[in-house]
Amino acid sequence: MTNRRTFILGLTSLGTLAAISTPALAADLAPQGATAITRVYGDGLRFVAVAVSYSGAVSASDLSVEDFRVGDRTVTAVYPATAPDPASRADSGAVVIVELSDTDPGALLAVEPERS
């Protein structure tokens, strides 16, 4: 789709920014905000998904992985949800979960302690 809105998601405590491009699904469905979803792995915290909140319900049939971009990350899945939680996956919902590859170089949110 040609019309896109870009959100800047600030993970300020981690010093990380992610630019998220989302499709304009319809004139009456505008993105309202975005929430970072992280998961803890053995080597640390990883940024694994973004929950994009819309002004109305989005249907699964309207979504495609190719319509979403997150900085230098690989989008692996896109689906609607009823809440900003991947476990709340649904056929339609006001939240779209954009899953990201956990093996991308930018996935690990390691914060190196200052050495004295």
Side-chain angles (χ1 to χ4, degrees), residues 38-76:
T38 59
R39 189 173 296 137
V40 178
Y41 289 80
D43 61 348
L45 189 67
R46 291 182 181 265
F47 177 30
V48 296
V50 178
V52 181
S53 299
Y54 281 88
S55 57
V58 177
S59 173
S61 62
D62 293 333
L63 299 173
S64 171
V65 169
E66 292 79 26
D67 290 335
F68 291 80
R69 289 187 207 105
V70 179
D72 293 332
R73 302 293 306 279
T74 304
V75 176
T76 59

Side-chain angles (χ1 to χ4, degrees), residues 15 17 19 26 32 47-48 51 77 84 87 90 99-102 115:
L17 289 177
Q32 303 294 304
F47 177 30
V48 296
E99 288 189 2
L100 307 170
S101 172
D102 60 5
R115 298 180 186 205

Side-chain angles (χ1 to χ4, degrees), residues 71-95:
D72 293 332
R73 302 293 306 279
T74 304
V75 176
T76 59
V78 178
Y79 50 88
T82 56
D85 178 0
S88 66
R89 188 175 189 150
D91 292 330
S92 69
V95 177

Side-chain angles (χ1 to χ4, degrees), residues 10-17 38 45 109-111:
L11 301 173
T12 55
S13 64
L14 300 170
T16 304
L17 289 177
T38 59
L45 189 67
L109 299 176
V111 178

